[in-house]
């Protein structure tokens, strides 16, 4: 399936902030709104911003209707998911992409928004895996923010490099980017939101998971055949990993290596993507080349 890319944004256009998962206040987003306005955008706040239903940004119906409204509004040229958490998978099946197909627009986010990144790719559309507004001004996050801006404005992809890692597997591969949060990729397996991995470069990241959970999820990707046929694998941040009283015995990276070495694609670790300040933007669906050698790993367009 060919991948369609929404038009690059221009100053003066409208972008919407929504929260398809965890709740957030407009006050928390004030610095991000100021930044987006400094880029020349008119910022529209969706109804889910300031929505409140337990931990969610409003109940499922509210969050779904809000996202649908932004999909259908032809004056909205990008939808930025304000934060992650949990809840996007609860609303995605009720979304109608008819108007979106007629006039595609950028959708951006990461973590729980992996559901949307993958769902859009399954439909044949690119989206942005990148820093979300609630994190725009975290310490040492300037480069992540700049890469998001570049992606939105359609500026040339800048190579992304990672240092050498003992588990790296050398090689070169070219393919479209697919992936995101490992937990969500497992969750959407077998659903309409699952995008095929074959012939593509998979990138993975995760946060706050038990090590045995990482093993269970990687085992699932292996047993379900999703690792077979990969062009390459990029491993980002696996942050704040947990362990049991009886240790699992290996790191998250070593767990991933156990399954990756069952195949012969190149693998690069320590990439700046995930739940750290250096979460550089990737365009899901963009064709890139992964090079892994003694110097480390590199993604180039």
């Amino acid at each position: 399936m060919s991948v369609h890319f929404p038009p690059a944004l221009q100053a003066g256009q409208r972008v919407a902030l929504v929260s398809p998962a965890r709740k957030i206040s407009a006050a928390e987003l004030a610095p991000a709104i100021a930044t987006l306005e400094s880029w020349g955008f008119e910022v529209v706040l969706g109804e889910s911003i300031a929505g409140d239903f337990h931990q969610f940004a409003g109940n499922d119906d509210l969050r779904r209707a809000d996202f649908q409204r932004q999909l259908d509004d032809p004056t909205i040229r990008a939808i930025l998911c304000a934060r992650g958490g949990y809840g996007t998978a609860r609303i995605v099946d009720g979304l109608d992409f008819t108007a979106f197909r007629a006039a595609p627009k950028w959708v951006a986010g990461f973590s729980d928004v992996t559901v949307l990144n993958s769902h859009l790719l399954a439909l044949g559309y690119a989206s942005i895996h990148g820093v979300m507004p609630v994190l725009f001004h975290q310490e040492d996050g300037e480069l992540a923010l700049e890469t998001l801006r570049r992606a939105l404005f359609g500026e040339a992809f800048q190579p992304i490099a990672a240092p050498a890692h003992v588990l790296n597997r050398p090689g070169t591969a070219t393919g479209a980017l697919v992936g995101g949060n490992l937990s969500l990729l497992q969750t959407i397996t077998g659903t309409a939101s699952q995008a095929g991995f074959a012939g593509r470069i998979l990138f993975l990241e995760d946060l706050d998971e038990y090590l045995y959970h990482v093993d269970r999820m990687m085992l699932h990707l292996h047993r379900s055949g999703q690792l077979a046929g990969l062009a390459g694998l990029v491993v980002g941040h696996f942050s704040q990993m947990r362990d049991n009283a009886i240790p699992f015995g290996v790191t998250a990276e070593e767990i991933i290596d156990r399954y990756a070495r069952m195949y012969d694609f190149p693998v690069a670790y320590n990439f700046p993507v995930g739940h750290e300040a250096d979460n550089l933007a990737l365009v899901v669906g963009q064709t890139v080349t992964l090079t892994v050698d003694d110097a480390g790993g590199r993604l180039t367009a």
Side-chain angles (χ1 to χ4, degrees), residues 82-166:
R83 72 175 310 164
Y86 169 69
T88 307
R90 292 168 59 118
I91 68 171
V92 68
D93 287 332
L95 295 175
D96 181 351
F97 288 89
T98 302
F100 173 89
R101 289 179 185 275
K105 59 190 72 177
W106 286 108
V107 175
F110 79 107
S111 192
D112 196 62
V113 184
T114 294
V115 175
L116 289 168
N117 295 136
S118 184
H119 194 88
L120 287 166
L121 186 58
L123 293 175
Y125 295 90
S127 64
I128 298 171
H129 181 280
V131 62
M132 293 181 284
V134 71
L135 299 172
F136 269 16
H137 298 285
Q138 62 186 325
E139 186 176 357
D140 299 323
E142 296 83 3
L143 183 56
L145 186 58
E146 172 61 11
T147 59
L148 173 66
R149 187 198 66 79
R150 293 181 64 87
L152 288 169
F153 280 100
E155 297 178 13
F157 178 83
Q158 296 296 302
I160 298 176
H165 191 281
V166 67

Side-chain angles (χ1 to χ4, degrees), residues 216-275:
R216 184 174 62 194
M217 292 185 287
M218 288 302 301
L219 175 61
H220 181 78
L221 294 187
H222 165 64
R223 294 189 68 220
S224 60
Q226 294 184 78
L227 299 181
L230 277 185
L233 176 63
V234 168
V235 182
H237 306 303
F238 276 72
S239 307
Q240 301 172 33
M241 293 290 102
R242 302 186 183 204
D243 207 349
N244 301 100
I246 300 175
F248 194 73
V250 292
T251 66
E253 289 76 13
E254 289 168 334
I255 292 168
I256 294 169
D257 175 66
R258 177 180 185 271
Y259 296 98
R261 68 175 54 251
M262 298 177 184
Y263 306 91
D264 60 2
F265 45 73
V267 185
Y269 293 80
N270 276 349
F271 258 82
V273 57
H275 285 77

